[in-house]
Amino acid sequence: MASAKLKYLSLGILVFQTTSLVLTMRYSRTLQGDGPRYLASSAVVVAEFLKILTCVGLVFKDHSYSGRALSSILRQEILHKPIETLKLAIPSGIYTLQNNLLYVALSNLDAATYQVTYQLKILTTALFSVSMLGRRLGVYQWLSLLILMAGVALIQWPADSPSDPQKEQLTPGSQFVGLVAVLVACCSSGFAGVYFEKILKETKQSVWIRNIQLGMFGLVFGIFGMLAYDGDRVQEHGMFQGYNTLTWIVVALQALGGLVVAAVIKYADNILKGFATSLSIILSTFISYFWLEDFEPTSVFFLGTVMVIMATFLYGYESKPAPNPSRA
């Protein structure tokens, strides 16, 4: 009974985190305010720092709130195993790139289109799983990938709509930039996710320790990226320029995202995770239309969305093996 409650609690939190992150990030990147807008590169750095603090707190809790045990485990697993720690540099750098790309995508795409298109990460993850882990996909999974690609293609299908001055902020050029950002983020998400899974399966380290290692490299890469692309603006207005309550909410939701997914993987299964993803897509579409008012749904978009949701469920479906007649 307790495990069932944890299962649905983790899924509820995943729906809330996924939907609210997309919508608040989109709103924060399009909100017109006084002064400079917050830097996406700065938000990525702060999110990595919060993730490290959260994971350290979870390790601290797992070791009965003992400071000595925490210090010992961090030295033993991180400082005394430099090769194992360095393995996380590759996925960490890719995750840092991905997090920056998501800000670019949501600055140029409406929340609904982004949310559905980003499900292409299922395709990239599956392909990298086959090539890197030697995993075999069943008929239902290959079929779901074909349906997924067709659904996303329909969602990106150009629609003729009456011109509206309030909706001309998204030019074809900016939409193309947003689409490219999402596609690159899908590829980076698939590769980094499978690479991280391979490392987890090869070692017995805690997932929280691994996330601390990821966060350490992510923090370094994020700071270098921030100074390289926004160094002048940081010197002029500071790292926390444009920060407000909404910005801190976005940063906190992004920091907790990976930890929520880890909890879902621990307590739930792929089908329920697919249900949570589908519900998040529906909520994002409705809120993007009624609240943000930056999205005009079409019949083609709805058809594509239904196909993506169906593909998400189908990919997590596991057919029962047929009974063996010889054992009857």
Side-chain angles (χ1 to χ4, degrees), residues 6 20 27 63 79 103 112 125 141 158 171 213 220 243 315-317:
L6 286 173
S20 56
Y27 185 63
H63 290 81
L79 296 179
Y103 281 96
T125 301
Q141 291 171 314
T171 64
Q213 294 168 321
V220 173
Y243 272 56
Y315 187 81
Y317 176 78

Side-chain angles (χ1 to χ4, degrees), residues 113-128:
T113 302
Y114 161 82
Q115 183 80 308
V116 182
T117 307
Y118 193 47
Q119 297 312 307
L120 272 178
K121 63 184 179 180
I122 298 174
L123 171 64
T124 59
T125 301
L127 295 178
F128 281 120

Side-chain angles (χ1 to χ4, degrees), residues 51-52 54-56 58-59 62-63 73 77-78 88 95 196-197 199-201 203-215 258-267:
K51 185 171 73 173
I52 293 173
T54 304
C55 289
V56 169
L58 290 169
V59 175
D62 289 342
H63 290 81
I73 194 71
E77 298 294 341
I78 297 176
L88 273 297
Y95 276 134
F196 187 50
E197 179 184 350
I199 291 176
L200 286 176
K201 289 183 176 181
T203 60
K204 297 180 179 180
Q205 281 183 316
S206 163
V207 67
W208 307 130
I209 293 292
R210 284 304 196 186
N211 272 286
I212 291 173
Q213 294 168 321
L214 272 177
L259 307 182
V260 172
V261 172
V264 170
I265 292 173
K266 181 176 181 179
Y267 295 113

Side-chain angles (χ1 to χ4, degrees), residues 66-145:
S66 170
R68 181 175 298 179
L70 174 65
S71 176
S72 175
I73 194 71
L74 291 179
R75 284 199 311 270
Q76 179 182 349
E77 298 294 341
I78 297 176
L79 296 179
H80 296 168
K81 296 180 179 178
I83 302 300
E84 293 296 318
T85 301
L86 283 172
K87 288 181 180 179
L88 273 297
I90 295 176
S92 179
I94 296 175
Y95 276 134
T96 303
L97 171 65
Q98 173 192 334
N99 290 334
N100 280 280
L101 286 172
L102 298 187
Y103 281 96
V104 175
L106 280 166
S107 298
N108 295 280
L109 291 175
D110 59 81
T113 302
Y114 161 82
Q115 183 80 308
V116 182
T117 307
Y118 193 47
Q119 297 312 307
L120 272 178
K121 63 184 179 180
I122 298 174
L123 171 64
T124 59
T125 301
L127 295 178
F128 281 120
S129 295
V130 171
S131 60
M132 294 174 62
L133 300 179
R135 185 170 294 160
R136 293 185 178 181
L137 301 181
V139 176
Y140 287 110
Q141 291 171 314
W142 283 115
L143 179 61
S144 72
L145 296 180

Side-chain angles (χ1 to χ4, degrees), residues 132-317:
M132 294 174 62
L133 300 179
R135 185 170 294 160
R136 293 185 178 181
L137 301 181
V139 176
Y140 287 110
Q141 291 171 314
W142 283 115
L143 179 61
S144 72
L145 296 180
L146 294 176
I147 296 173
L148 176 68
M149 288 189 292
V152 172
L154 285 177
I155 289 162
Q156 296 300 328
W157 192 270
D160 295 328
S161 58
S163 60
D164 186 342
Q166 294 180 349
K167 300 187 185 299
E168 289 180 355
Q169 298 175 354
L170 294 180
T171 64
S174 67
Q175 289 180 330
F176 178 75
V177 170
L179 177 60
V180 171
V182 173
L183 294 178
V184 176
C186 287
C187 293
S188 62
S189 174
F191 176 79
V194 173
Y195 189 98
F196 187 50
E197 179 184 350
K198 185 177 181 181
I199 291 176
L200 286 176
K201 289 183 176 181
E202 290 176 349
T203 60
K204 297 180 179 180
Q205 281 183 316
S206 163
V207 67
W208 307 130
I209 293 292
R210 284 304 196 186
N211 272 286
I212 291 173
Q213 294 168 321
L214 272 177
M216 289 168 52
F217 286 112
L219 188 62
V220 173
F221 290 136
I223 291 174
F224 273 113
M226 180 181 65
L227 295 178
Y229 291 102
D230 298 313
D232 293 338
R233 282 183 281 182
V234 170
Q235 289 182 356
E236 184 178 357
H237 298 289
M239 177 178 172
F240 297 101
Q241 59 180 283
Y243 272 56
N244 53 30
T245 303
L246 182 61
T247 309
W248 284 108
I249 291 174
V250 171
V251 168
L253 288 170
Q254 189 176 30
L256 296 176
L259 307 182
V260 172
V261 172
V264 170
I265 292 173
K266 181 176 181 179
Y267 295 113
D269 54 30
N270 279 330
I271 296 177
L272 287 176
K273 184 183 176 184
F275 176 78
T277 302
S278 304
L279 185 57
S280 177
I281 291 173
I282 295 170
L283 288 174
S284 297
T285 302
F286 274 100
I287 297 175
S288 184
Y289 175 67
F290 288 107
W291 179 39
L292 297 181
E293 297 181 350
D294 62 351
F295 169 67
E296 288 288 345
T298 64
S299 57
V300 175
F301 178 88
F302 278 122
L303 176 60
T305 301
V306 170
M307 293 177 70
V308 170
I309 292 174
M310 183 172 65
T312 304
F313 273 106
L314 191 59
Y315 187 81
Y317 176 78

